[in-house]
Each structure stands twice: as C-alpha cells, then as structure tokens.
Amino acid sequence: MGRGRKRRHSPKIPGHIDQDALPKGVYWEDGRWYIVEPHPEGGRARKRTIAYADARLSELHAARESALGLGVVGTLDHLAKVFKTSTEYSELSKSSRVDYDHHAAIACSFILKDGTTLGSLQVDRMSVPMIQRLVETLSQGRAARGVQPALAARPSTANHVLRSLHRLFGWGIRMGHCKTNPASGVRSVREKAEFKMPDPQAFVAVLEFAKARAALPLHSKGSIAPYMPAVMVLAYNARLRGIEVTELTDADALREGVRCSRRKGSRDNITAWNEDLRWAWTWLRDYRAERVEAHKRPVPMRAEKRPLLVTQTGTPLARSTLKTAWQRLIIAAIEAGVIAEDQRFSLHGLKHRGITDTRGTRAHKQDAAGHASPQMTNRYDHELQVVQPPTLPSDDELAFADAASAP
C-alpha cells in the first residue's frame, strides 16, 4: 500500500507537534484533533474528536489506535490487531493469516491467575517464564484458566502459539510497538506423531456411508458435501494431502495417470489410472460442469486454470472448506454408528493408509509417495514386515563346512 501524498505544513497546528510524524488519518480543526468515520447507517461521513490542543504526539497515536478499536497501546491485544494492518501480514498467504489469527486469539484469551487475560498485559511486562508456562499449559490440554479443551488438546497447538508469538513480538520490535521478545528462548514441547490412519474396515465403511449421504439432495437432513467420496478415493489412491487434492486441475489428467504435485519437499510423480481413480475424476469433472453451468460461470481456456474440485456454486474449493466438510462427514459417521469414536481418522490419514497398502518393498512405497528420504516413508508406512525365523544348519551342512575348512 502506498504512503499517499505528503501532508502539507499547517501553521494552525500546535507548535509542539512534529507534523511529519502525525499519524495517518488524524486531522486538526478549531482546537481539536479528529478522525473521519463512516456513518453507521450509510450517510455522510462524520468527524470524531479524539484529542485537544494540549495532546502530545504519542497521545495522538494512542488515541487514533484506540478509536479504531486496536486496544490499549503496548498490550498483546493491541500488538496482534496492529500486526493485521501491516504489509508483512498482508503478504502472508490466506491460510497463514488464518493460522496466525487463530493462534494469536488463543494466546490473547488465555486467562491469568488474577483473572485478567494475557492479551490485556503489556508486552514489555511479559517474561520468558510466563510464555513458557503458557506453552506448557496448552501442551498438557488443561482447560483451566479459561482455555477451551478443543484449543489446548495437542502439543502442536502450543507450538503453533509459540511460533505465532515469536513472529509477532519480532515484528513489534522492528516497528517500535514493543522493546522485548519474551518468546525468544522459550522451549517448544515435543509433539507426538499422530497420523490417525483408519483400519481397512473403517475406511471402507466411511466411504460407503459418504456415498450414501452425498447422494441426498443438497442441504437436506443428513446430507454431506457431494464431492467427499471422490476426495476420499483420490487421497487414498494417489496418496495425496487434502490441500494437494484441492490443487488438482484438468492439466493433471495425463494419459498415463494423475499427476501428483506434492508439497513439503516430496517429489512430484504420476499415479497410474485404476478403476477407482477414473470414477473419482469423471465424477468431479461432471459435477464441476453442472455447477458451473447452473451459475453461468466462465470456463477458463487453459487446463491448469480449471480446478477439479469446486463448491456447489462452481467456485474453486478452498482448503478450509474441505476441512469443514470432512469434519461434518466424520461426525455424521460417528453419530450414525458407522464407526466408533476411537476409530475416528483424519483426511491426512488416508495418505498413510494408501502408502501402507501400496504393494512392494519400502523403496517401492517411497517412490509411490514421492518421498525424498526413506525416513519420511518410515513415518507413513505402517505395514509390519513378515520375516523368516532363523534356521540352524543341518548335519550335512556342518559336515561340509568342516571338510571345506580342513587343511
């Protein structure tokens, strides 16, 4: 965003104010400082007084931020809100912004022993031990002191909060909003490897359940997103992450099979067509054509611009939408008694299931998954190898060995 036109020097502004350092959007008129606010009912914008002639420059900055709903200057709440107005925040991807907002909210809403929230505390009053206690509490899933169990159930949540705070404080120091980074030096907690891979029976049961519920009319009782069965088939057969499924386009349908563009350092490859993959691809392509036609949306000429997965309105399916649709499917399957609560599995678990079910050696599975190292394949392949027991040599073999070693 540009800085705009430079403010002209005005002799009417009080002399103790450095006019070059005035906050953007603050104006002087008739002995008062004001900002311009839109009318709540859509009428003409109105001037709102925030300070008077004796206000200092620092007070003007604080008054403007308070008037814009950015909280008390210097607090964690204020820092988190101001960060969202920065160019650094705007340059993040949409998913990263959602992630930072979510975990900053967890930190800000954390209730301290005196009943106040961490967000109301001045950043420069925070310490490394305080942030370390926050991380430890979140990692242990304790719901006391105002943290919801769903937000504090996993060590990964605590580590995400720590990373978010570390970046937030670092930005605050660079921009002059705080002087210290109390997250610097805080130790992250160890995360358990949770893949939540379904057993074969649970996978088949949920897939059949998804096909039945997806066939119901849209928005009817018990219905789920119609694309979910095809997504499950693609994630399992092509061994894809959820976001990798949403990124598939017409350009990925090759004669040999489905081109899989993989993330996190994995190598791209092509998964050969089978009956299930052909069904899933054809179904999603036909569903897209129906939805696009129903809403009269333009069809891009280039194949790589035509996403395979779309919403009911014909727009590209977002990662967050797929995650929400998946949770609804799993909750519905549990409520219907298709699987038990302890059989619950994640969409990413289908990639684990697909790699585990791939026939061949560990090297074959590594190539199929596109993994850059055997160590990564070891995390995804949960098949127990069948090995032969040791066998003692026979008497003839011992006699032959003795004869061969004789002088």
Side-chain angles (χ1 to χ4, degrees), residues 128-287:
V128 171
M130 176 182 292
I131 304 301
Q132 187 70 66
R133 286 194 296 271
L134 169 68
V135 171
E136 296 293 335
T137 301
L138 293 176
S139 68
Q140 294 171 21
R142 295 209 297 266
R145 316 313 308 170
V147 180
Q148 300 178 22
L151 299 179
R154 298 190 303 170
S156 60
T157 300
N159 288 337
H160 273 291
V161 169
L162 175 59
R163 286 191 290 269
S164 297
L165 289 178
H166 196 283
R167 180 168 192 166
L168 184 61
F169 294 146
W171 175 84
I173 291 174
R174 294 192 298 274
M175 302 304 295
H177 294 291
C178 58
K179 298 178 181 179
T180 61
N181 187 338
S184 181
V186 174
R187 179 180 178 273
S188 60
V189 293
R190 184 174 181 178
E191 299 180 24
K192 295 181 180 179
E194 295 181 325
F195 50 86
K196 297 183 180 179
M197 181 182 74
D199 59 63
Q201 294 77 17
F203 170 49
V204 173
V206 173
L207 179 58
E208 293 303 316
F209 175 77
K211 289 180 178 179
R213 289 295 182 92
L216 296 175
L218 285 173
H219 305 301
S220 63
K221 184 177 180 180
S223 67
I224 64 166
Y227 49 76
M228 284 311 304
V231 167
M232 292 181 67
V233 169
L234 283 169
Y236 170 74
N237 284 272
R239 297 158 286 247
L240 293 172
R241 301 174 183 272
I243 190 171
E244 293 167 352
V245 175
T246 63
E247 291 177 342
L248 290 171
T249 68
D250 281 355
D252 296 315
L254 307 180
R255 183 174 59 182
E256 301 90 340
V258 177
R259 177 170 56 195
C260 304
S261 299
R262 305 186 184 276
R263 294 193 168 202
K264 295 200 172 182
S266 295
R267 296 186 296 265
D268 297 350
N269 58 15
I270 300 173
T271 300
W273 293 109
N274 62 12
E275 185 177 347
D276 289 339
L277 277 176
R278 290 187 184 279
W279 168 82
W281 199 279
T282 302
W283 192 96
L284 289 171
R285 186 187 59 198
D286 293 344
Y287 177 75

Side-chain angles (χ1 to χ4, degrees), residues 16-17 22-23 33 51-63:
H16 66 281
I17 295 295
L22 277 171
W33 295 100
Y52 293 94
D54 58 347
R56 294 176 296 180
L57 184 62
S58 60
E59 293 171 337
L60 291 179
H61 280 274

